[in-house]
Amino acid sequence: YGVLSRQVNSEDFDYILCASTQDDMHYPNAGNLLSKELKKDVPVLQLKTACTSVAYAIQVARSLIMGACAENVLILNGEPMTRFVDLGCRSSSFFFGDGATARVVGKGSGILELVDIETGGSGDTIVSSTRVSPTTQVSMEEFIEGMTLIGKPESQSRRAADRKFSQDGKKVVEFVIRNVPDLVRRFLNRNDLDTTGVHRFITHQSNLTMMTKLCEELEIDPKHMDRNIETRGNTGSAGWPSVLAENQGTYPHGTL
């Protein structure tokens, strides 16, 4: 199962998976809109698992293909993060940027081969898309125009639209450093590899400090880490796929 290298037309995919941390609309989603635009009526699924959304979508795509429900699956991913972060939370809001990616997963050869994948379900207490902030709810447009100052809200009343993305940054770092190295080592062991054979490494584009710490824990030289965090910011689940897209011409086919 690979990311296809040949030109793909709308007639070639059988499913659309939308996988994002945040969306402009809950429904219809981007897949529904694209299906209408292309005049192609295919099943559309929406997956929301925060910054791991694309990884889960790839696993679902693989399962659909293995179950003979599809031959090619289009995965869409758009992250308007700056519209949803709470600009009153100075501990995390400045990390985020916006991004969008798309890829087709299909059976057969492609630019990249999907060798192994593992996902889990913990971490429910450290990231939220609808948490109420103690600071004034400010939109990006209002913040740029200086229309609203960050500070304590005049009222404790809240609308549903006031709920913002938030995270406990310290606990996120602790969770990643505690869990991800063991996941990577299990993957390498299952495939008769070790970190000395890793020459290119991509991780979630969270923040450079955490990414570098992860390399240290895995004993991978940070110079082998491909990234765009300095220029793109944390773009949610679009982060690592955008790094992959920006560098795909530098990877030997079938070796990543």
Side-chain angles (χ1 to χ4, degrees):
Y1 307 93
V3 179
L4 301 185
S5 57
R6 60 178 172 80
Q7 181 176 348
V8 178
N9 299 313
S10 60
E11 294 79 15
D12 295 327
F13 54 83
D14 311 294
Y15 264 83
I16 300 176
L17 303 183
C18 287
S20 303
T21 303
Q22 300 283 356
D23 294 288
D24 289 323
M25 299 177 291
H26 292 300
Y27 51 81
N29 61 54
N32 298 125
L33 301 179
L34 181 62
S35 178
K36 178 181 179 180
E37 182 72 20
L38 296 176
K39 296 180 173 60
K40 182 175 177 61
D41 188 13
V42 298
V44 177
L45 302 178
Q46 188 173 34
L47 298 99
K48 283 185 178 294
T49 53
C51 295
T52 59
S53 295
V54 172
Y56 275 86
I58 291 173
Q59 187 169 28
V60 171
R62 184 189 190 201
S63 299
L64 288 169
I65 296 168
M66 292 176 66
C69 296
E71 291 188 5
N72 301 307
V73 178
L74 174 65
I75 299 176
L76 296 178
N77 166 246
E79 297 285 20
M81 295 297 297
T82 58
R83 292 186 58 190
F84 295 97
V85 294
D86 180 7
L87 296 178
C89 179
R90 302 307 295 268
S91 65
S92 63
S93 61
F94 61 89
F95 281 117
F96 291 92
D98 300 324
T101 65
R103 69 216 44 81
V104 174
V105 177
K107 191 172 184 178
S109 62
I111 293 176
L112 303 172
E113 181 183 3
L114 178 59
V115 175
D116 199 350
I117 191 166
E118 181 176 343
T119 53
S122 57
D124 62 298
T125 61
I126 56 179
V127 177
S128 172
S129 64
T130 57
R131 191 167 292 159
V132 175
S133 168
T135 58
T136 303
Q137 302 298 322
V138 187
S139 72
M140 178 60 73
E141 291 80 6
E142 291 170 332
F143 182 72
I144 292 174
E145 295 295 328
M147 296 170 58
T148 309
L149 298 177
I150 292 174
K152 295 293 183 181
E154 297 179 2
S155 168
Q156 293 302 314
S157 62
R158 288 284 182 247
R159 302 166 298 158
D162 287 335
R163 296 176 180 271
K164 300 290 185 177
F165 171 87
S166 64
Q167 65 177 3
D168 187 326
K170 182 178 179 180
K171 288 185 178 179
V172 169
V173 173
E174 292 173 352
F175 178 87
V176 168
I177 300 304
R178 183 174 64 249
N179 292 281
V180 172
D182 286 340
L183 288 171
V184 173
R185 292 187 187 102
R186 287 207 301 269
F187 166 80
L188 293 172
N189 289 337
R190 285 198 303 268
N191 293 279
D192 297 322
L193 298 168
D194 57 46
T195 56
T196 60
V198 174
H199 302 293
R200 307 291 288 274
F201 181 65
I202 303 175
T203 184
H204 169 51
Q205 302 297 290
S206 49
N207 69 71
L208 189 56
T209 300
M210 187 173 76
M211 294 158 61
T212 303
K213 178 66 175 176
L214 187 58
C215 284
E216 293 173 357
E217 291 290 324
L218 289 167
E219 298 181 335
I220 295 175
D221 192 325
K223 72 179 182 181
H224 296 317
M225 178 173 59
D226 292 333
R227 62 182 190 264
N228 61 16
I229 182 69
E230 295 99 329
T231 56
R232 311 295 185 195
N234 182 341
T235 54
S237 63
W240 71 264
S242 66
V243 175
L244 199 62
E246 291 173 358
N247 291 277
Q248 68 180 29
T250 68
Y251 300 129
H253 284 200
T255 60
L256 184 67

